Amino acid sequence: MITILAGTNRPNSRARRIANYYRRVLSELGAESQILDLAELPADFVATALYANVGSHPEFNRLAAMLDVGQKLVIVVPEYNASFPGVLKAFIDGLAYPGGIAGKKAALVGLSSGGQGGLLAMAHLSDVLMYLGTAVLPQRVRLPFINQDLNAEDGLNHDLSRQLLREQAAALLAF
């Protein structure tokens, strides 16, 4: 089982839509997957699920437990203000430490409305993941100008984007 994490809590996010697309790619490759959407986080989780409250919030725990199912993840990370969304960092901070995502393998997909394609977000997130003991697949996919690439059917308009995601998914399965 591969967990695909939509790395923002924005409702109906492009990250979630790319997660849906990635899930279809994994299915075509014969891999089981599930989507962990940070939009399902409880609104008060920063005050009720972190620090002294780790492990005590049932809804947060349900989402965190989705990471325990398998050893591989795909993190679809939008670029917010030259980094990754704070809600993703807060979610990671709320995971059991040590543990949580230690020993797992992760593939990163960055997206942005500009030309960088989430490059800075993936660089910052890679540092955090490696600190926590998560191996990051070197083959990171950048999806720049996502507003033009992502279509209304949650598909991608550009052949290169589709090819890169498929190649990354295959590499993750072999990782």
Side-chain angles (χ1 to χ4, degrees):
M1 175 68 74
I2 297 172
T3 300
I4 306 166
L5 195 159
T8 179
N9 61 340
R10 183 173 287 180
N12 305 312
S13 69
R14 290 176 295 235
R16 172 56 193 249
R17 294 171 61 202
I18 293 297
N20 293 339
Y21 179 87
Y22 208 105
R23 188 170 193 202
R24 290 192 303 269
V25 170
L26 286 170
S27 179
E28 290 168 7
L29 294 173
E32 278 189 73
S33 63
Q34 63 180 349
I35 295 177
L36 191 170
D37 190 345
L38 295 185
E40 296 177 26
L41 280 168
D44 67 345
F45 86 97
V46 173
T48 61
L50 275 63
Y51 313 120
N53 298 316
V54 167
S56 65
H57 196 295
E59 188 57 20
F60 182 90
N61 293 345
R62 180 188 70 77
L63 294 171
M66 293 177 74
L67 297 171
D68 297 336
V69 176
Q71 288 302 307
K72 296 182 181 180
L73 0 150
V74 175
I75 303 175
V76 181
V77 56
E79 187 170 283
Y80 283 17
N81 300 315
S83 189
F84 60 93
V87 71
L88 176 55
K89 179 66 164 72
F91 176 73
I92 292 169
D93 288 348
L95 299 174
Y97 182 87
I101 53 177
K104 298 208 182 281
K105 297 176 181 181
L108 304 182
V109 177
L111 24 131
S112 69
S113 55
Q116 294 297 315
L119 182 64
L120 292 171
M122 289 189 294
H124 294 163
L125 182 56
S126 292
D127 288 344
V128 171
L129 294 173
M130 288 188 292
Y131 175 82
L132 293 171
T134 304
V136 178
L137 181 71
Q139 191 172 346
R140 298 180 293 177
V141 174
R142 297 182 313 115
L143 298 175
F145 306 110
I146 194 63
N147 295 334
Q148 288 124 23
D149 198 0
L150 186 62
N151 61 43
E153 293 79 37
D154 291 349
L156 294 165
N157 295 321
H158 301 128
D159 291 338
L160 181 59
S161 298
R162 292 189 296 270
Q163 176 186 342
L164 292 173
L165 288 176
R166 187 169 188 80
E167 288 173 358
Q168 183 195 56
L172 178 63
L173 293 176
F175 187 38

mmCIF file of all heavy atoms in Angstrom, residues 77-79 82-83 110-112 115-126 140-143:
data_model
loop_
_atom_site.group_PDB
_atom_site.id
_atom_site.type_symbol
_atom_site.label_atom_id
_atom_site.label_comp_id
_atom_site.label_asym_id
_atom_site.label_seq_id
_atom_site.Cartn_x
_atom_site.Cartn_y
_atom_site.Cartn_z
ATOM 1 N N VAL A 77 3.230 18.210 -3.049
ATOM 2 C CA VAL A 77 3.491 19.399 -2.247
ATOM 3 C C VAL A 77 3.415 20.668 -3.097
ATOM 4 O O VAL A 77 4.233 20.875 -3.974
ATOM 5 C CB VAL A 77 4.852 19.267 -1.504
ATOM 6 C CG1 VAL A 77 5.989 18.997 -2.452
ATOM 7 C CG2 VAL A 77 5.142 20.475 -0.658
ATOM 8 N N PRO A 78 2.416 21.496 -2.817
ATOM 9 C CA PRO A 78 2.369 22.783 -3.510
ATOM 10 C C PRO A 78 3.375 23.747 -2.888
ATOM 11 O O PRO A 78 3.746 23.599 -1.727
ATOM 12 C CB PRO A 78 0.936 23.260 -3.272
ATOM 13 C CG PRO A 78 0.519 22.598 -2.002
ATOM 14 C CD PRO A 78 1.264 21.297 -1.935
ATOM 15 N N GLU A 79 3.804 24.686 -3.698
ATOM 16 C CA GLU A 79 4.719 25.706 -3.182
ATOM 17 C C GLU A 79 3.918 26.884 -2.653
ATOM 18 O O GLU A 79 3.106 27.459 -3.376
ATOM 19 C CB GLU A 79 5.667 26.162 -4.297
ATOM 20 C CG GLU A 79 6.753 27.081 -3.784
ATOM 21 C CD GLU A 79 7.817 27.322 -4.831
ATOM 22 O OE1 GLU A 79 8.657 26.434 -5.047
ATOM 23 O OE2 GLU A 79 7.774 28.406 -5.447
ATOM 24 N N ALA A 82 7.492 30.236 -1.321
ATOM 25 C CA ALA A 82 8.838 29.714 -1.525
ATOM 26 C C ALA A 82 9.185 28.535 -0.626
ATOM 27 O O ALA A 82 10.343 28.233 -0.396
ATOM 28 C CB ALA A 82 9.888 30.813 -1.396
ATOM 29 N N SER A 83 8.191 27.835 -0.103
ATOM 30 C CA SER A 83 8.416 26.644 0.702
ATOM 31 C C SER A 83 7.185 25.752 0.600
ATOM 32 O O SER A 83 6.335 25.960 -0.260
ATOM 33 C CB SER A 83 8.702 27.017 2.159
ATOM 34 O OG SER A 83 9.130 25.876 2.890
ATOM 35 N N GLY A 110 6.176 18.246 -6.819
ATOM 36 C CA GLY A 110 5.992 19.662 -6.501
ATOM 37 C C GLY A 110 5.140 20.334 -7.547
ATOM 38 O O GLY A 110 5.220 20.015 -8.735
ATOM 39 N N LEU A 111 4.306 21.273 -7.093
ATOM 40 C CA LEU A 111 3.505 22.039 -8.033
ATOM 41 C C LEU A 111 3.493 23.503 -7.665
ATOM 42 O O LEU A 111 3.608 23.859 -6.493
ATOM 43 C CB LEU A 111 2.065 21.542 -8.147
ATOM 44 C CG LEU A 111 1.403 20.788 -7.069
ATOM 45 C CD1 LEU A 111 0.050 21.350 -6.751
ATOM 46 C CD2 LEU A 111 1.191 19.405 -7.650
ATOM 47 N N SER A 112 3.377 24.312 -8.689
ATOM 48 C CA SER A 112 3.275 25.748 -8.467
ATOM 49 C C SER A 112 2.571 26.382 -9.659
ATOM 50 O O SER A 112 2.548 25.816 -10.751
ATOM 51 C CB SER A 112 4.658 26.380 -8.286
ATOM 52 O OG SER A 112 5.385 26.369 -9.491
ATOM 53 N N GLY A 115 6.815 29.167 -12.605
ATOM 54 C CA GLY A 115 7.724 28.339 -13.371
ATOM 55 C C GLY A 115 8.626 27.418 -12.583
ATOM 56 O O GLY A 115 9.298 26.576 -13.166
ATOM 57 N N GLN A 116 8.680 27.543 -11.249
ATOM 58 C CA GLN A 116 9.592 26.711 -10.468
ATOM 59 C C GLN A 116 9.056 25.300 -10.217
ATOM 60 O O GLN A 116 9.820 24.402 -9.900
ATOM 61 C CB GLN A 116 9.913 27.379 -9.127
ATOM 62 C CG GLN A 116 10.704 28.659 -9.267
ATOM 63 C CD GLN A 116 12.066 28.399 -9.897
ATOM 64 O OE1 GLN A 116 12.766 27.459 -9.540
ATOM 65 N NE2 GLN A 116 12.429 29.227 -10.856
ATOM 66 N N GLY A 117 7.773 25.105 -10.290
ATOM 67 C CA GLY A 117 7.202 23.771 -10.120
ATOM 68 C C GLY A 117 7.408 23.187 -8.737
ATOM 69 O O GLY A 117 7.527 21.977 -8.584
ATOM 70 N N GLY A 118 7.455 24.029 -7.737
ATOM 71 C CA GLY A 118 7.600 23.524 -6.374
ATOM 72 C C GLY A 118 9.018 23.132 -6.007
ATOM 73 O O GLY A 118 9.231 22.417 -5.023
ATOM 74 N N LEU A 119 9.994 23.584 -6.761
ATOM 75 C CA LEU A 119 11.386 23.216 -6.516
ATOM 76 C C LEU A 119 11.832 23.555 -5.093
ATOM 77 O O LEU A 119 12.407 22.721 -4.390
ATOM 78 C CB LEU A 119 12.298 23.900 -7.540
ATOM 79 C CG LEU A 119 13.781 23.573 -7.443
ATOM 80 C CD1 LEU A 119 14.021 22.099 -7.732
ATOM 81 C CD2 LEU A 119 14.573 24.440 -8.409
ATOM 82 N N LEU A 120 11.560 24.774 -4.646
ATOM 83 C CA LEU A 120 11.964 25.174 -3.291
ATOM 84 C C LEU A 120 11.194 24.396 -2.230
ATOM 85 O O LEU A 120 11.762 23.991 -1.212
ATOM 86 C CB LEU A 120 11.770 26.683 -3.092
ATOM 87 C CG LEU A 120 12.701 27.572 -3.912
ATOM 88 C CD1 LEU A 120 12.280 29.031 -3.794
ATOM 89 C CD2 LEU A 120 14.140 27.386 -3.481
ATOM 90 N N ALA A 121 9.925 24.173 -2.476
ATOM 91 C CA ALA A 121 9.113 23.412 -1.520
ATOM 92 C C ALA A 121 9.675 22.002 -1.354
ATOM 93 O O ALA A 121 9.803 21.503 -0.230
ATOM 94 C CB ALA A 121 7.664 23.358 -1.994
ATOM 95 N N MET A 122 10.026 21.355 -2.460
ATOM 96 C CA MET A 122 10.566 20.000 -2.379
ATOM 97 C C MET A 122 11.937 19.973 -1.721
ATOM 98 O O MET A 122 12.253 19.041 -0.972
ATOM 99 C CB MET A 122 10.622 19.363 -3.767
ATOM 100 C CG MET A 122 9.248 19.017 -4.319
ATOM 101 S SD MET A 122 9.339 18.029 -5.837
ATOM 102 C CE MET A 122 10.074 19.179 -6.986
ATOM 103 N N ALA A 123 12.753 21.003 -1.955
ATOM 104 C CA ALA A 123 14.074 21.062 -1.325
ATOM 105 C C ALA A 123 13.935 21.177 0.190
ATOM 106 O O ALA A 123 14.598 20.458 0.947
ATOM 107 C CB ALA A 123 14.879 22.231 -1.893
ATOM 108 N N HIS A 124 13.073 22.071 0.636
ATOM 109 C CA HIS A 124 12.864 22.240 2.083
ATOM 110 C C HIS A 124 12.276 20.981 2.708
ATOM 111 O O HIS A 124 12.702 20.542 3.778
ATOM 112 C CB HIS A 124 11.949 23.430 2.361
ATOM 113 C CG HIS A 124 12.547 24.750 1.987
ATOM 114 N ND1 HIS A 124 11.802 25.879 1.828
ATOM 115 C CD2 HIS A 124 13.816 25.121 1.738
ATOM 116 C CE1 HIS A 124 12.584 26.891 1.491
ATOM 117 N NE2 HIS A 124 13.815 26.448 1.428
ATOM 118 N N LEU A 125 11.291 20.401 2.035
ATOM 119 C CA LEU A 125 10.654 19.199 2.560
ATOM 120 C C LEU A 125 11.637 18.028 2.592
ATOM 121 O O LEU A 125 11.630 17.231 3.544
ATOM 122 C CB LEU A 125 9.415 18.843 1.736
ATOM 123 C CG LEU A 125 8.614 17.635 2.202
ATOM 124 C CD1 LEU A 125 8.173 17.771 3.647
ATOM 125 C CD2 LEU A 125 7.416 17.432 1.292
ATOM 126 N N SER A 126 12.501 17.919 1.583
ATOM 127 C CA SER A 126 13.508 16.850 1.580
ATOM 128 C C SER A 126 14.394 16.927 2.818
ATOM 129 O O SER A 126 14.712 15.901 3.429
ATOM 130 C CB SER A 126 14.377 16.934 0.323
ATOM 131 O OG SER A 126 13.632 16.617 -0.817
ATOM 132 N N ARG A 140 12.552 13.539 -8.361
ATOM 133 C CA ARG A 140 11.449 14.408 -7.946
ATOM 134 C C ARG A 140 10.820 15.025 -9.199
ATOM 135 O O ARG A 140 11.517 15.363 -10.138
ATOM 136 C CB ARG A 140 11.955 15.499 -7.008
ATOM 137 C CG ARG A 140 12.544 14.916 -5.731
ATOM 138 C CD ARG A 140 13.043 15.975 -4.784
ATOM 139 N NE ARG A 140 14.191 16.653 -5.366
ATOM 140 C CZ ARG A 140 14.815 17.677 -4.794
ATOM 141 N NH1 ARG A 140 14.412 18.131 -3.628
ATOM 142 N NH2 ARG A 140 15.840 18.238 -5.377
ATOM 143 N N VAL A 141 9.505 15.162 -9.173
ATOM 144 C CA VAL A 141 8.791 15.712 -10.338
ATOM 145 C C VAL A 141 8.304 17.114 -10.008
ATOM 146 O O VAL A 141 7.662 17.341 -8.983
ATOM 147 C CB VAL A 141 7.592 14.814 -10.736
ATOM 148 C CG1 VAL A 141 6.771 15.467 -11.845
ATOM 149 C CG2 VAL A 141 8.087 13.440 -11.171
ATOM 150 N N ARG A 142 8.627 18.034 -10.910
ATOM 151 C CA ARG A 142 8.153 19.413 -10.786
ATOM 152 C C ARG A 142 7.054 19.643 -11.813
ATOM 153 O O ARG A 142 7.224 19.301 -12.986
ATOM 154 C CB ARG A 142 9.292 20.402 -11.048
ATOM 155 C CG ARG A 142 10.406 20.310 -10.052
ATOM 156 C CD ARG A 142 11.535 21.324 -10.274
ATOM 157 N NE ARG A 142 12.004 21.421 -11.643
ATOM 158 C CZ ARG A 142 11.885 22.527 -12.409
ATOM 159 N NH1 ARG A 142 11.319 23.616 -11.962
ATOM 160 N NH2 ARG A 142 12.350 22.526 -13.637
ATOM 161 N N LEU A 143 5.938 20.202 -11.355
ATOM 162 C CA LEU A 143 4.833 20.528 -12.252
ATOM 163 C C LEU A 143 4.617 22.041 -12.224
ATOM 164 O O LEU A 143 3.813 22.561 -11.446
ATOM 165 C CB LEU A 143 3.561 19.789 -11.832
ATOM 166 C CG LEU A 143 3.625 18.260 -11.872
ATOM 167 C CD1 LEU A 143 2.341 17.652 -11.316
ATOM 168 C CD2 LEU A 143 3.900 17.760 -13.281
#
